[in-house]
Amino acid sequence: MSGPAANRGIAVLASGEGTNLQALIDAAARDALHGRIELVLSDRADAGALVRARAAGIHAVHLPPGDWPDRAAYDRALAALLAEHGIGLVVLAGFMRILDAEVVGGFAGRMLNIHPSLLPRHRGLHPHRKALAAGDRVHGATVHFVVPELDAGPSILQYRIAIQPWDNPASLSRRVREGEHFIYPLAVRWWLQGRLDCRDGQARLDGQPLAAPLVVTRDMAPVAVCA
Ligand code: GRF
């Protein structure tokens, strides 16, 4: 590993089931992540992610939004927790809250998200439904650096599938998520290895700006990655 964050831990923020967290936990267990998940944080007490973290012996914290007077206070508490744990990289994995610009700015180039669409298409909620309604033939997921604007940061890596005539939002969610479990640990590893960074609003891999995200397609997974 190289870079200023080399010895610093990862925090995963998740509100839901935590299957992406599990993929990261599994990659770390295989020594394929080149880093350690120090902290898992959720806004929901019933998040599967908390259960998965505890089962893996990772410090898991439930931060209930109702305990703070407003969003800014909540985000300050969250940032304090990240600082307390010396977090170098924040990985958003289905965290269903928008973080304020101050927190995001404090982790510029050090915060990743995965969104289940081929960004910039279908930002925000219900991307599978939107892809079907738009008649898209290709769909997928995107790993990107986080900026204050929702789902708008520089893209790094995409997983693409062909939409089939029988697809519905549930089938797309399931099929896209399978690929997420491959691309997210890969991007996190690149970052921890010091291969991935963000400069002048653009993602770079091995010092080369990514004019477009790298793409993994269903038929090419697990190894082929092309620009
Ligand atoms: C994933 O589809 C991810 O793309 C989105 O939220 C979902 C989280 O799923 N940001 P899980 O909790 O990791 O299973």
Side-chain angles (χ1 to χ4, degrees):
M1 279 192 273
S2 65
N7 299 318
R8 308 186 71 185
I10 307 163
V12 180
L13 276 51
S15 303
E17 217 184 312
T19 65
N20 278 285
L21 166 67
Q22 191 65 53
L24 293 163
I25 291 171
D26 294 347
R30 290 195 306 273
D31 240 355
L33 208 57
H34 297 256
R36 213 178 116 77
I37 305 172
E38 296 288 347
L39 175 68
V40 169
L41 211 150
S42 183
D43 56 327
R44 295 187 54 118
D46 61 351
L50 291 174
V51 177
R52 292 174 190 271
R54 288 177 186 132
I58 298 167
H59 187 58
V61 178
H62 169 220
L63 271 192
D67 284 5
W68 282 269
D70 53 30
R71 196 165 76 95
Y74 182 87
D75 284 8
R76 276 198 299 277
L78 188 149
L81 206 55
L82 297 175
E84 192 183 304
H85 286 266
I87 296 303
L89 177 68
V90 175
V91 175
L92 304 182
F95 190 59
M96 298 306 284
R97 290 179 62 88
I98 297 174
L99 293 169
D100 70 26
E102 212 178 306
V103 178
V104 173
F107 279 90
R110 301 192 293 131
M111 188 181 284
L112 301 174
N113 183 41
I114 188 159
H115 181 74
S117 80
L118 298 177
L119 292 173
R121 287 184 76 70
H122 312 314
R123 292 177 184 167
L125 295 174
H126 310 306
H128 306 306
R129 220 184 288 166
K130 288 175 185 163
L132 290 168
D136 291 357
R137 303 186 62 176
V138 183
H139 187 49
T142 306
V143 180
H144 64 93
F145 282 106
V146 176
V147 297
E149 193 184 341
L150 184 67
D151 299 330
S155 291
I156 300 158
L157 188 55
Q158 287 187 331
Y159 175 72
R160 293 187 188 172
I161 58 168
I163 294 184
Q164 303 296 343
W166 54 84
D167 269 320
N168 54 45
S171 68
L172 284 183
S173 167
R174 180 179 46 76
R175 297 204 295 124
V176 166
R177 216 172 292 195
E178 275 171 20
E180 293 183 14
H181 300 162
F182 172 69
I183 62 170
Y184 215 7
L186 182 59
V188 169
R189 183 174 88 207
W190 285 342
W191 191 92
L192 289 163
Q193 289 174 318
R195 297 181 58 192
L196 175 67
D197 65 0
C198 189
R199 178 82 58 89
D200 301 327
Q202 203 164 35
R204 301 189 317 168
L205 185 65
D206 298 329
Q208 297 301 311
L210 300 176
L214 300 165
V215 174
V216 176
T217 70
R218 175 69 183 93
D219 299 330
M220 295 158 78
V223 284
V225 177
C226 58

